[in-house]
Amino acid sequence: MTASPSAKTGNPKLAFRPLPVPQVDVYGFWGDRADAVATCTADILYERCVEARMLEQIDPDRPSPGIVIPFHSPSPDEADRQGAEFTGSTVTTQMFWDSDLGKTIETAAYSLYRRKNPELEKKIDAVIDMYGKLQQEDGYLSSWYQRIQPGKRWTNLRDCHELYCAGHLIEGAVAYYQATGKRKLLDIMCRYADHIASVLGPEPGKKKGYCGHEEIELALVKLARVTGERKYMELAKYFIDQRGQQPHYFDEEARARGADPKAYHFKTYEYSQSHIPVREQHKVVGHAVRAMYLYSGMADIATEYGDDTLRSALDLLWDDLTTKSLYVTGGLGPSAHNEGFTSDYDLPNESAYAETCAAVGLVFWASRMLGMGPNARYADMMERALYNGSISGLSLDGSLFFYENPLESRGAHNRWKWHRCPCCPPNIGRMVASIGSYFYSLADDALAVHLYGDSTARFDISGVPASLTQTSRYPWDGAVEIALEPQAPVEFTLHLRIPAWSASAQLKVNGEAIKPAEITSDGYAAIKRTWTKGDDVRLDLEMPIERLYANPQVRQDAGRVALSRGPLIYCVEASDNDSQPHRLTLPRTATIEAQQRPELLGGVVTLSTAALADVPDGWQDGLYRPEPPTTAETRLTAIPYFAWDNREPGEMLVWLRDG
Ligand SMILES: [Zn+2]
């Protein structure tokens, strides 16, 4: 029942919608990643949610952990400050458990589509039953406010993740419905969304609130699209429009519960991007994940309503992020203090916070900018974040995770099994499991191919069922074969991204060469024709090895160089090198070779070259001396950044000394 672009949810004819996950099969590189999630991560997420005792918080048939089992409760103000974490001797409860379960359901849903897993499906059904029982008569649903803090609902939107949790459960519900056809959770969440709309909104008598942690906005857009109900789109638009308006809701809300608004732990509403109305925001600030989720929701609303005022703000925000505050890996948010942004060009490598969720959030935002039409400005960055700073957060076998994704390590930053705040594991899980929907988007008379790699997409265009199959070894090779199979001849435009990193691209349609430059705008070659069964397109993207240098304003990268090939950023890891990475210098004249290594890290292309290494000999007696260290010739081997820390722990470095 996926709504068509012209359904009740919106009007713009040009809107491009991602293909739903079940309509795209991925193989090759992303097939391996998605298999790791389907065969390993999805089960692990559920099990670790159980181990973290989340079900005890949501299951109304069990004693409420907040009431029956003694726990240490901080004062309300302290709870606000600490994100209201209540830790007791026998149980831990969290205000955001519903969000982790929502993302776990979403990961399971997309994984079930890829690989049947009746046992997991049964467990998820049981969790959904718990939510069904927990839901109140009026539709309200929050395990935290019903079971741990009863009587306090809608009193602290600033800090307590109430709508954020709703958003993740909505996303889980949409995914579970799409993957399994079961609509119990979807119905539950529609009832809850209706309740939310009865409490919050622009109408007289309703609270003028919105969530301190954005997420509900993009989730409601998904709900509107899958149900065809415009009221959910309207609610999402309200949350976007109301954010940062005066009088400030978070001030009023704090006073209403007897707190001083100025006592806010994070000092400024920049932390939650609510310092000014969103259309006036030009600078990326605050908590990185919140920012990415907000901009994602804004992009959806800009697409659905054809709202250029939102789009203008988003373009300025995009410029600000990508020219001043983005790691070369597509990671973002350097500081642990606010889990977010600091000042322009501040991109420390070893202490980089660069939360997995933030890079995943950038993928969400970039993909939604593509709703307004194919544009490589967004898709290239989506690809950068996808292949580097996001999937670095998941081990190759799908069992271990990173929260922070630094660009330098002395060997002690290693993957962990679980986290006190386990937001990242299910976030990277659901993104990988739904990767097919990032490959393609569809408009009334066009299909855009944003990502390359082995895959098959099924879609209807102008009423004609069609499929498109890519055959490619991407990202290891830039040759892409595309076969089109419409069931009847049909005219539409096929948009193919020509990545900015590709020095040259060659294009053939049914064997006939076309000059990409003549049909390319915004970084996409547009091929408009009547397609018939058996048509094929061949795209050859040159994939040079690049030396990348940072803007001189980035103090941490001065005199340094990073290596890339195609969409991949590389790093040097101890396992492949005789010298410690920080002692290596990469000469500018060195010839760098790409080498296929099917036996290494699940099959990667490595980069290797002659390099120089500082020799520690003769330095046993002291720290300093007037002569520089001697150097020795050595070999340097670099691996894709996403694959680091999958072997024995060791040092790692992205930005090498440039010689
Ligand atoms: Zn996270």
Side-chain angles (χ1 to χ4, degrees):
M1 141 172 140
T2 302
S4 72
S6 56
K8 286 182 274 181
T9 52
N11 58 21
K13 286 200 81 170
L14 287 175
F16 280 73
R17 301 281 166 75
L19 287 183
V21 177
Q23 288 176 225
V24 185
D25 299 327
V26 293
Y27 312 97
F29 179 90
W30 285 107
D32 291 346
R33 302 275 80 73
D35 281 341
V37 171
T39 58
C40 178
T41 317
D43 288 298
I44 278 179
L45 292 176
Y46 173 82
E47 294 304 333
R48 291 182 191 159
C49 287
V50 173
E51 283 168 28
R53 307 181 74 166
M54 293 186 193
L55 301 188
E56 290 171 40
Q57 182 171 311
I58 66 163
D59 186 355
D61 289 341
R62 302 185 208 189
S64 164
I67 293 168
V68 176
I69 300 171
F71 59 92
H72 162 70
S73 169
S75 69
D77 279 354
E78 193 187 344
D80 281 359
R81 260 202 322 279
Q82 296 177 349
E85 180 184 354
F86 289 67
T87 306
S89 57
T90 54
V91 69
T92 298
T93 63
Q94 289 278 17
M95 63 172 66
F96 45 75
W97 276 168
D98 290 339
S99 74
D100 296 309
L101 284 164
K103 283 184 279 185
T104 296
I105 291 169
E106 196 179 346
T107 307
Y110 295 136
S111 300
L112 289 175
Y113 168 72
R114 187 168 184 89
R115 173 181 168 269
K116 287 202 184 323
N117 186 341
E119 274 189 29
L120 181 61
E121 190 170 344
K122 224 167 115 186
K123 292 170 184 167
I124 298 297
D125 284 341
V127 173
I128 291 170
D129 288 343
M130 289 176 207
Y131 276 115
K133 273 192 178 175
L134 184 65
Q135 185 166 39
Q136 295 195 341
E137 280 284 298
D138 62 2
Y140 185 80
L141 183 62
S142 157
S143 66
W144 175 258
Y145 279 107
Q146 290 175 253
R147 307 258 297 157
I148 313 297
Q149 294 258 286
K152 294 197 171 174
R153 62 161 104 161
W154 309 131
T155 58
N156 191 349
L157 293 179
R158 186 189 72 185
D159 301 323
C160 291
H161 297 56
E162 203 167 3
L163 292 165
Y164 167 84
C165 285
H168 278 303
L169 283 171
I170 288 170
E171 286 201 272
V174 169
Y176 204 64
Y177 167 68
Q178 284 184 324
T180 65
K182 296 178 187 172
R183 55 175 308 141
K184 180 168 183 176
L185 188 56
L186 191 68
D187 290 338
I188 289 170
M189 295 317 295
C190 285
R191 282 185 62 208
Y192 187 21
D194 292 341
H195 175 73
I196 292 168
S198 75
V199 174
L200 299 154
E203 297 84 5
K206 293 185 183 174
K207 291 177 186 290
K208 300 295 175 283
Y210 45 87
C211 197
H213 196 318
E214 303 91 326
E215 152 66 22
I216 186 80
E217 302 84 358
L218 70 89
L220 285 167
V221 172
K222 281 191 179 180
L223 190 63
R225 285 178 177 169
V226 82
T227 61
E229 291 286 356
R230 187 171 176 81
K231 61 185 176 182
Y232 301 130
M233 200 68 80
E234 292 286 319
L235 185 58
K237 183 173 185 299
Y238 157 76
F239 286 133
I240 296 286
D241 291 344
Q242 183 60 26
R243 194 169 203 84
Q245 301 287 353
Q246 292 293 342
H248 204 286
Y249 183 77
F250 294 158
D251 285 347
E252 297 192 326
E253 182 194 61
R255 284 187 209 104
R257 64 170 184 270
D260 177 2
K262 292 198 174 61
Y264 180 43
H265 174 63
F266 289 102
K267 307 278 190 260
T268 162
Y269 293 145
E270 285 190 355
Y271 177 70
S272 57
Q273 300 80 37
S274 58
H275 52 305
I276 49 176
V278 298
R279 288 171 181 79
E280 296 167 27
Q281 295 191 25
H282 302 153
K283 182 121 207 73
V284 170
V285 293
H287 186 280
V289 179
R290 295 175 197 231
M292 295 305 108
Y293 285 11
L294 169 64
Y295 308 151
S296 297
M298 287 166 64
D300 277 339
I301 295 301
T303 300
E304 291 290 342
Y305 289 83
D307 186 336
D308 287 339
T309 61
L310 277 176
R311 184 172 187 162
S312 310
L314 287 166
D315 274 330
L316 291 169
L317 290 163
W318 185 269
D319 275 347
D320 185 62
L321 174 69
T322 56
T323 63
K324 298 189 181 72
S325 295
L326 190 63
Y327 284 102
V328 72
T329 53
L332 54 149
S335 169
H337 172 68
N338 63 346
E339 299 190 293
F341 300 101
T342 52
S343 52
D344 291 350
Y345 307 111
D346 180 34
L347 294 166
N349 290 308
E350 190 178 1
S351 65
Y353 197 67
E355 182 180 343
T356 301
C357 285
V360 169
L362 175 57
V363 172
F364 292 167
W365 179 21
S367 72
R368 284 163 170 83
M369 294 305 282
L370 297 170
M372 291 175 268
N375 190 330
R377 162 181 157 86
Y378 310 116
D380 282 1
M381 214 51 83
M382 175 172 84
E383 181 179 63
R384 174 72 64 88
L386 265 174
Y387 277 97
N388 302 285
S390 65
I391 54 166
S392 54
L394 182 64
S395 64
L396 293 176
D397 67 1
S399 70
L400 298 170
F401 310 96
F402 275 145
Y403 196 103
E404 303 97 337
N405 292 273
L407 287 77
E408 177 175 3
S409 167
R410 285 179 240 190
H413 182 77
N414 306 121
R415 297 173 186 281
W416 38 261
K417 197 180 151 199
W418 201 236
H419 200 273
R420 180 185 64 80
C421 170
C423 53
C424 298
N427 222 352
I428 189 66
R430 69 186 180 134
M431 189 201 79
V432 170
S434 60
I435 188 67
S437 67
Y438 299 93
F439 268 60
Y440 303 98
S441 59
L442 184 67
D444 289 347
D445 57 358
L447 181 81
V449 183
H450 305 302
L451 298 172
Y452 298 111
D454 266 351
S455 59
T456 296
R458 293 171 293 278
F459 54 98
D460 278 12
I461 193 155
S462 299
V464 178
S467 72
L468 179 154
T469 298
Q470 285 192 53
T471 309
S472 175
R473 293 191 57 254
Y474 202 91
W476 312 119
D477 187 287
V480 183
E481 293 270 5
I482 297 174
L484 287 129
E485 300 265 324
Q487 286 187 7
V490 59
E491 186 183 81
F492 65 91
T493 304
L494 180 66
H495 296 271
L496 300 176
R497 182 173 63 99
I498 311 294
W501 50 254
S502 182
S504 80
Q506 290 175 352
L507 189 58
K508 285 182 183 169
V509 177
N510 294 333
E512 201 175 306
I514 296 178
K515 286 189 178 158
E518 292 175 3
I519 54 167
T520 297
S521 67
D522 293 332
Y524 279 72
I527 310 167
K528 184 176 182 181
R529 55 180 281 137
T530 299
W531 299 96
T532 57
K533 209 169 193 170
D535 280 345
D536 69 85
V537 178
R538 164 99 190 191
L539 178 65
D540 282 289
L541 298 168
E542 195 185 330
M543 200 174 261
I545 299 164
E546 300 270 28
R547 288 171 160 85
L548 298 178
Y549 299 92
N551 184 313
Q553 304 257 39
V554 183
R555 68 187 63 242
Q556 295 94 346
D557 299 338
R560 293 186 175 263
V561 58
L563 295 176
S564 72
R565 180 173 180 271
L568 298 169
I569 300 297
Y570 278 73
C571 69
V572 169
E573 199 175 23
S575 295
D576 310 294
N577 293 279
D578 294 333
S579 294
Q580 291 171 294
H582 76 269
R583 289 198 280 116
L584 293 167
T585 298
L586 176 62
R588 286 198 177 176
T589 52
T591 304
I592 305 168
E593 292 163 2
Q595 196 180 6
Q596 293 191 32
R597 297 282 300 276
E599 83 297 350
L600 186 68
L601 295 164
V604 295
V605 169
T606 60
L607 304 182
S608 62
T609 181
L612 297 172
D614 290 348
V615 179
D617 297 354
W619 287 80
Q620 292 83 347
D621 297 332
L623 267 176
Y624 308 104
R625 71 182 196 194
E627 306 88 32
T630 54
T631 55
E633 289 187 0
T634 187
R635 291 291 293 176
L636 173 161
T637 297
I639 61 162
Y641 172 76
F642 76 80
W644 86 279
D645 199 46
N646 276 284
R647 296 171 290 182
E648 65 278 16
E651 297 187 22
M652 181 280 291
L653 190 61
V654 171
W655 287 101
L656 304 165
R657 246 191 302 160
D658 178 40

